[in-house]
Amino acid sequence: MKKKRLIALASAAAMLPGAGLLMTSCNDRANYDLTIAFLSGGRGETYVRALVDAFEETTWGQAYLAENEKEALDVNIISGGGGVIEDSVLNAINSDNTPDVMFLNYNMQNSTTEAFVRARQLVDLTDLLEENVYGEDTTLGDKLVPGLLSNYTTQPYGDGHTYTLPAFYSPTGLWYDASRFYDDGKGDEYTEVGTGENAGKYELPRTWAEFWALGDYLNTQNGNLANVKGNTPALFTYPTAGYFDGFIYSAVAGMAGTDKFMQMLGYAEGIWEDEDVQDALEIVVRLKDYLEPSTVAQANTDGFQQNQQAVIGSPDGTTKGTALFVPNGDWLPGEMAKSTPEGYEWGFMPLPSKDNDTMSYVNTYLENVYIHRNGGNTDLAKQFLLFYFSDEGAAIVAEESSAIIPTQDALANAAENGIAESTIALYDAYDGNGAVSGSFVATDTVTGVIWNDVLYNDLNTRVFGATSGTTAELLAAWTQRLMSASDQLRAAIIS
């Protein structure tokens, strides 16, 4: 049996004194056929390694080994969660071992992907869309779920060229403890609890009016958040403010429409003062009056799982959670599996709609994979991506990560690949609802302007963490900051 040279860099270790022995020096660059960096966590720790094992056995992998007179691929894998993986990638780059393939996302702690985009350091993958995925007569472009490439995430410069591919996709929305809710068919009385077997349960809100009505009812029970407990919960919590990306996207699309949604992503002049967009932003600010009291203090890399736990309750199931809803993606159940009681049933819903005559919008969260232009083997990296998006690759990812990659066949074959029915059911959220996805257009660096701080992190400190101010006052101040930053970034859009 051939022995693969797989070197996994423990990202945390790479930051420790003496860890330089683990890093790749410039003299070792040629020793690796591929270096792959990936964000571990909700998708697990093993899927990249399993893909590499299978990729080596493909005709592509075998041809590469024969051409280079090698017995096995030398693959360097760098993994870690959150900002740790970003630090490790930077260390690798500084050690002249820039990863070829990176599974990294936008809006991460250190904005690593955004920095690569600004510096135009990603390989143009547009032509790759015309190549067949491994072992099939289907091009990558035809294989992908329609609609996932026409956005600023995959085409960051808005020029029709694709630089990142969606490695994972998932509907984002509101998650909740399904046992706390019921549907009694009454329709409008969302502030009433059930009777009999439904005693103590709530009805899911379908519109924003119903959402706030439920929140008002809860606040009468918890003393306007003064006595929040498992049996008197708050309406809402969030892991960190960064999770408001999908929330804001869906809210703006639902209240203002998709044209204004795209104008928002393009920093269009005056967009933040638009009446419909203001209605969406007001929804966000208004959450302050219904927020689980511990949320703001825990909305960081150390405490975000405690906020998620607030919807679950105690790990042994003896106490219900202190919040009803949390915004998140399909990785949430897996991420919280160790502290979730046996038999717990997650519920998932899109954001409420504007009214009964308007559909909800579901934001599709795209997790990215791309090739860095300073990697050592772009051609082999492209072949690896074509394998990733094949049916064989989808089956491996499903087994290792319990996730569905963004190809049409992966969703159709999800049950056959062992994906849980509860995960497959999440994608029903698209039925009868609108869908949006993407991120903001790429810009050059603007000194003193960090967009993620203005749009997301300010929510913690200057909106939800504010000790005074009405909803209108907080919204007005936030809007002014958004307008100022947006004006500066619009002037810096990369063309």
Side-chain angles (χ1 to χ4, degrees), residues 145-194:
V145 171
L148 296 186
L149 296 182
S150 301
N151 55 70
Y152 293 129
T153 297
T154 56
Q155 299 178 357
Y157 311 113
D159 59 359
H161 284 251
T162 299
Y163 289 86
T164 79
L165 295 171
F168 297 97
Y169 77 126
S170 62
T172 61
L174 301 180
W175 291 77
Y176 56 89
D177 178 349
S179 72
R180 306 189 81 156
F181 293 88
Y182 75 101
D183 184 355
D184 65 2
K186 290 180 180 179
D188 295 329
E189 297 298 328
Y190 281 74
T191 59
E192 292 186 1
V193 295

Coordinates of all heavy atoms in Angstrom, one line a residue, residues 145-194:
V145 N -25.7 24.4 -8.6 CA -27.0 24.9 -8.4 C -27.2 26.2 -9.1 O -26.3 27.1 -8.9 CB -27.4 25.0 -6.9 CG1 -28.7 25.7 -6.7 CG2 -27.4 23.6 -6.2
P146 N -28.2 26.4 -9.9 CA -28.3 27.7 -10.7 C -28.5 28.9 -9.7 O -29.1 28.8 -8.6 CB -29.6 27.5 -11.4 CG -29.8 26.0 -11.6 CD -29.2 25.4 -10.3
G147 N -27.9 30.0 -10.1 CA -28.1 31.2 -9.4 C -27.0 31.5 -8.4 O -27.0 32.6 -7.8
L148 N -26.1 30.6 -8.1 CA -25.1 30.8 -7.1 C -23.9 31.6 -7.5 O -23.0 31.9 -6.7 CB -24.7 29.5 -6.4 CG -25.8 28.7 -5.7 CD1 -25.2 27.5 -5.1 CD2 -26.6 29.6 -4.7
L149 N -23.7 31.8 -8.8 CA -22.5 32.5 -9.3 C -22.7 34.0 -9.6 O -21.8 34.7 -9.9 CB -22.0 31.8 -10.5 CG -21.5 30.3 -10.3 CD1 -20.9 29.8 -11.6 CD2 -20.4 30.3 -9.2
S150 N -24.0 34.4 -9.7 CA -24.2 35.8 -10.1 C -24.3 36.7 -8.9 O -25.4 37.3 -8.5 CB -25.6 35.9 -10.9 OG -25.5 35.0 -12.0
N151 N -23.2 36.9 -8.2 CA -23.2 37.7 -7.0 C -21.7 38.2 -6.7 O -20.8 37.7 -7.4 CB -23.7 37.0 -5.8 CG -23.0 35.7 -5.5 OD1 -21.8 35.6 -5.1 ND2 -23.7 34.5 -5.8
Y152 N -21.6 39.1 -5.8 CA -20.3 39.6 -5.5 C -19.4 38.7 -4.7 O -18.2 39.0 -4.4 CB -20.4 41.0 -4.8 CG -21.0 42.1 -5.6 CD1 -22.1 42.8 -5.2 CD2 -20.5 42.4 -6.9 CE1 -22.6 43.9 -5.9 CE2 -21.0 43.4 -7.7 CZ -22.1 44.1 -7.2 OH -22.6 45.1 -8.0
T153 N -19.9 37.6 -4.2 CA -19.1 36.6 -3.5 C -18.3 35.9 -4.5 O -17.1 35.7 -4.3 CB -20.0 35.7 -2.7 OG1 -20.7 36.4 -1.7 CG2 -19.2 34.6 -2.0
T154 N -18.9 35.3 -5.5 CA -18.2 34.5 -6.5 C -17.5 35.4 -7.5 O -16.5 35.0 -8.1 CB -19.1 33.5 -7.1 OG1 -20.2 34.2 -7.7 CG2 -19.6 32.5 -6.1
Q155 N -18.2 36.5 -7.8 CA -17.6 37.5 -8.9 C -17.4 38.8 -8.2 O -18.2 39.8 -8.4 CB -18.6 37.6 -10.0 CG -18.8 36.3 -10.7 CD -19.8 36.3 -11.9 OE1 -20.4 37.4 -12.1 NE2 -20.0 35.2 -12.5
P156 N -16.4 38.9 -7.4 CA -16.2 40.1 -6.5 C -16.1 41.4 -7.2 O -16.3 42.5 -6.5 CB -15.0 39.7 -5.6 CG -14.2 38.7 -6.5 CD -15.3 38.0 -7.2
Y157 N -15.6 41.4 -8.4 CA -15.4 42.7 -9.1 C -16.5 43.1 -10.0 O -16.5 44.1 -10.7 CB -14.1 42.6 -9.9 CG -12.9 42.1 -9.2 CD1 -12.4 40.8 -9.5 CD2 -12.4 42.7 -8.1 CE1 -11.3 40.3 -8.8 CE2 -11.3 42.2 -7.3 CZ -10.8 41.0 -7.7 OH -9.8 40.5 -7.0
G158 N -17.6 42.3 -10.0 CA -18.8 42.6 -10.8 C -18.5 42.6 -12.3 O -19.2 43.3 -13.1
D159 N -17.4 41.9 -12.8 CA -17.0 41.9 -14.2 C -17.4 40.6 -14.9 O -17.0 40.4 -16.1 CB -15.5 42.1 -14.3 CG -14.7 41.0 -13.6 OD1 -15.3 40.1 -13.0 OD2 -13.5 41.1 -13.6
G160 N -18.2 39.7 -14.3 CA -18.6 38.5 -14.9 C -17.6 37.4 -14.8 O -17.8 36.3 -15.3
H161 N -16.4 37.6 -14.1 CA -15.4 36.6 -14.0 C -15.5 36.0 -12.5 O -15.7 36.8 -11.6 CB -14.0 37.2 -14.2 CG -13.7 37.4 -15.6 ND1 -12.8 36.7 -16.3 CD2 -14.2 38.3 -16.5 CE1 -12.7 37.1 -17.6 NE2 -13.5 38.1 -17.7
T162 N -15.4 34.7 -12.5 CA -15.6 34.0 -11.2 C -14.2 33.7 -10.6 O -13.3 33.1 -11.2 CB -16.3 32.7 -11.5 OG1 -17.6 33.0 -12.0 CG2 -16.5 31.9 -10.2
Y163 N -14.1 34.1 -9.3 CA -12.8 34.0 -8.6 C -13.0 33.1 -7.4 O -12.0 32.5 -6.9 CB -12.3 35.3 -8.2 CG -11.7 36.1 -9.3 CD1 -12.6 36.9 -10.1 CD2 -10.4 36.1 -9.7 CE1 -12.2 37.7 -11.1 CE2 -10.0 36.8 -10.8 CZ -10.9 37.6 -11.5 OH -10.4 38.4 -12.6
T164 N -14.2 32.9 -6.8 CA -14.4 32.0 -5.8 C -15.6 31.1 -6.2 O -16.5 31.5 -6.9 CB -14.7 32.6 -4.4 OG1 -16.1 33.1 -4.4 CG2 -13.8 33.8 -4.2
L165 N -15.6 29.9 -5.7 CA -16.7 28.9 -5.9 C -17.4 28.6 -4.6 O -16.7 28.6 -3.5 CB -16.2 27.7 -6.5 CG -15.6 27.8 -7.9 CD1 -14.9 26.5 -8.3 CD2 -16.6 28.2 -9.0
P166 N -18.7 28.4 -4.6 CA -19.4 28.0 -3.4 C -19.1 26.6 -3.0 O -19.5 25.6 -3.7 CB -20.9 28.2 -3.8 CG -20.9 28.0 -5.2 CD -19.6 28.5 -5.8
A167 N -18.3 26.4 -1.9 CA -18.0 25.1 -1.5 C -19.1 24.4 -0.7 O -19.3 23.2 -0.8 CB -16.7 25.1 -0.6
F168 N -19.8 25.2 0.0 CA -21.1 24.8 0.7 C -22.1 25.9 0.5 O -21.7 27.0 0.4 CB -20.8 24.6 2.2 CG -19.8 23.5 2.5 CD1 -18.5 23.8 2.8 CD2 -20.2 22.1 2.6 CE1 -17.6 22.8 3.1 CE2 -19.3 21.1 2.9 CZ -18.0 21.5 3.1
Y169 N -23.3 25.5 0.6 CA -24.4 26.5 0.6 C -25.5 26.0 1.5 O -25.7 24.9 1.7 CB -25.0 26.7 -0.8 CG -25.9 25.6 -1.4 CD1 -27.2 26.0 -1.8 CD2 -25.6 24.3 -1.4 CE1 -28.0 25.0 -2.3 CE2 -26.4 23.3 -1.9 CZ -27.7 23.7 -2.3 OH -28.5 22.7 -2.8
S170 N -26.1 27.0 2.1 CA -27.2 26.6 3.1 C -28.1 27.8 3.2 O -27.7 28.9 3.2 CB -26.6 26.2 4.4 OG -25.9 27.2 5.0
P171 N -29.4 27.5 3.4 CA -30.3 28.5 3.7 C -30.1 29.0 5.1 O -29.9 28.2 6.0 CB -31.7 27.9 3.6 CG -31.4 26.4 3.8 CD -30.1 26.2 3.3
T172 N -30.1 30.3 5.3 CA -29.9 30.8 6.7 C -31.3 31.4 7.1 O -32.0 31.9 6.3 CB -28.9 31.9 6.8 OG1 -29.2 33.0 5.9 CG2 -27.5 31.3 6.4
G173 N -31.6 31.4 8.3 CA -32.8 31.9 8.9 C -32.8 31.8 10.4 O -31.8 31.9 11.0
L174 N -34.0 31.5 10.9 CA -34.2 31.5 12.4 C -34.3 30.0 12.8 O -35.2 29.3 12.3 CB -35.4 32.3 12.8 CG -35.4 33.8 12.4 CD1 -36.6 34.5 12.9 CD2 -34.1 34.5 13.0
W175 N -33.5 29.7 13.8 CA -33.6 28.3 14.4 C -34.3 28.4 15.7 O -34.1 29.4 16.5 CB -32.2 27.8 14.5 CG -31.5 27.4 13.2 CD1 -31.0 28.3 12.3 CD2 -31.4 26.2 12.6 NE1 -30.5 27.7 11.2 CE2 -30.7 26.3 11.4 CE3 -31.7 24.9 13.0 CZ2 -30.4 25.3 10.5 CZ3 -31.4 23.8 12.2 CH2 -30.7 24.0 11.0
Y176 N -34.9 27.3 16.1 CA -35.7 27.3 17.4 C -35.9 25.9 17.9 O -35.7 24.9 17.1 CB -37.0 28.0 17.2 CG -37.9 27.4 16.1 CD1 -38.8 26.3 16.3 CD2 -37.8 27.9 14.8 CE1 -39.5 25.8 15.3 CE2 -38.6 27.4 13.7 CZ -39.4 26.3 14.0 OH -40.2 25.8 13.0
D177 N -36.3 25.7 19.1 CA -36.6 24.5 19.7 C -38.0 24.1 19.2 O -39.0 24.7 19.6 CB -36.6 24.6 21.2 CG -37.0 23.3 22.0 OD1 -37.5 22.4 21.3 OD2 -36.8 23.3 23.2
A178 N -38.2 23.1 18.4 CA -39.4 22.8 17.8 C -40.5 22.4 18.8 O -41.7 22.6 18.5 CB -39.3 21.6 16.7
S179 N -40.1 21.9 19.9 CA -41.1 21.4 20.9 C -41.8 22.6 21.6 O -42.8 22.4 22.3 CB -40.4 20.6 22.0 OG -39.6 21.4 22.8
R180 N -41.3 23.8 21.4 CA -42.0 25.0 22.0 C -43.1 25.6 21.2 O -43.7 26.5 21.6 CB -40.9 26.0 22.4 CG -39.7 25.5 23.2 CD -38.8 26.6 23.6 NE -39.4 27.2 24.9 CZ -38.7 27.9 25.8 NH1 -37.4 28.0 25.6 NH2 -39.3 28.4 26.8
F181 N -43.2 25.1 20.0 CA -44.2 25.7 19.0 C -45.2 24.7 18.5 O -45.0 23.5 18.5 CB -43.4 26.3 17.9 CG -42.5 27.4 18.2 CD1 -41.2 27.2 18.6 CD2 -43.0 28.7 18.2 CE1 -40.4 28.3 19.0 CE2 -42.2 29.8 18.5 CZ -40.9 29.6 18.9
Y182 N -46.3 25.2 18.1 CA -47.4 24.4 17.5 C -48.1 25.2 16.6 O -48.0 26.5 16.5 CB -48.3 23.8 18.6 CG -49.3 24.8 19.1 CD1 -50.6 24.9 18.7 CD2 -48.9 25.8 20.1 CE1 -51.5 25.8 19.2 CE2 -49.7 26.7 20.6 CZ -51.0 26.7 20.2 OH -51.9 27.7 20.6
D183 N -48.9 24.6 15.7 CA -49.8 25.3 14.8 C -51.2 24.9 15.1 O -51.6 23.7 14.8 CB -49.4 25.0 13.4 CG -50.2 25.8 12.4 OD1 -51.2 26.5 12.8 OD2 -50.0 25.6 11.2
D184 N -52.0 25.7 15.7 CA -53.4 25.4 16.0 C -54.4 25.8 15.0 O -55.6 25.6 15.2 CB -53.8 25.9 17.4 CG -53.8 27.4 17.4 OD1 -53.6 28.1 16.4 OD2 -54.1 28.0 18.5
G185 N -53.9 26.4 13.9 CA -54.8 26.8 12.9 C -55.6 28.1 13.1 O -56.4 28.5 12.3
K186 N -55.3 28.8 14.2 CA -56.1 30.0 14.5 C -55.8 31.1 13.6 O -56.6 32.0 13.3 CB -55.8 30.4 16.0 CG -56.4 29.5 17.0 CD -56.2 30.0 18.4 CE -56.7 29.1 19.5 NZ -56.4 29.6 20.8
G187 N -54.5 31.1 13.1 CA -54.1 32.1 12.2 C -53.5 33.4 12.8 O -52.3 33.6 12.6
D188 N -54.3 34.2 13.5 CA -53.8 35.5 13.9 C -53.4 35.7 15.3 O -52.8 36.6 15.7 CB -54.8 36.6 13.5 CG -55.0 36.7 12.0 OD1 -54.1 36.4 11.3 OD2 -56.2 37.0 11.6
E189 N -53.9 34.8 16.2 CA -53.7 34.9 17.6 C -52.3 34.4 18.0 O -52.3 33.3 18.6 CB -54.8 34.3 18.4 CG -56.2 34.9 18.1 CD -56.2 36.4 18.5 OE1 -55.5 36.8 19.5 OE2 -56.9 37.2 17.9
Y190 N -51.3 35.1 17.8 CA -49.9 34.6 18.0 C -49.5 34.9 19.4 O -48.4 34.5 19.8 CB -49.0 35.1 17.0 CG -49.1 34.4 15.7 CD1 -50.1 34.6 14.8 CD2 -48.1 33.4 15.3 CE1 -50.3 33.9 13.7 CE2 -48.2 32.7 14.2 CZ -49.3 32.9 13.3 OH -49.4 32.2 12.2
T191 N -50.2 35.6 20.2 CA -49.8 35.9 21.6 C -50.5 34.9 22.6 O -50.4 35.0 23.8 CB -50.2 37.3 22.0 OG1 -51.6 37.5 21.9 CG2 -49.4 38.3 21.1
E192 N -51.3 34.0 22.1 CA -51.9 33.0 22.9 C -51.1 31.7 23.0 O -50.6 31.2 22.0 CB -53.3 32.7 22.4 CG -54.3 33.8 22.5 CD -55.7 33.4 22.2 OE1 -55.9 32.2 21.9 OE2 -56.6 34.3 22.2
V193 N -51.0 31.1 24.2 CA -50.4 29.8 24.3 C -51.4 28.8 24.1 O -52.6 29.0 24.2 CB -49.7 29.7 25.7 CG1 -48.6 30.6 25.9 CG2 -50.8 29.8 26.8
G194 N -51.0 27.6 23.9 CA -51.9 26.5 23.6 C -52.6 26.0 24.8 O -52.3 26.4 26.0

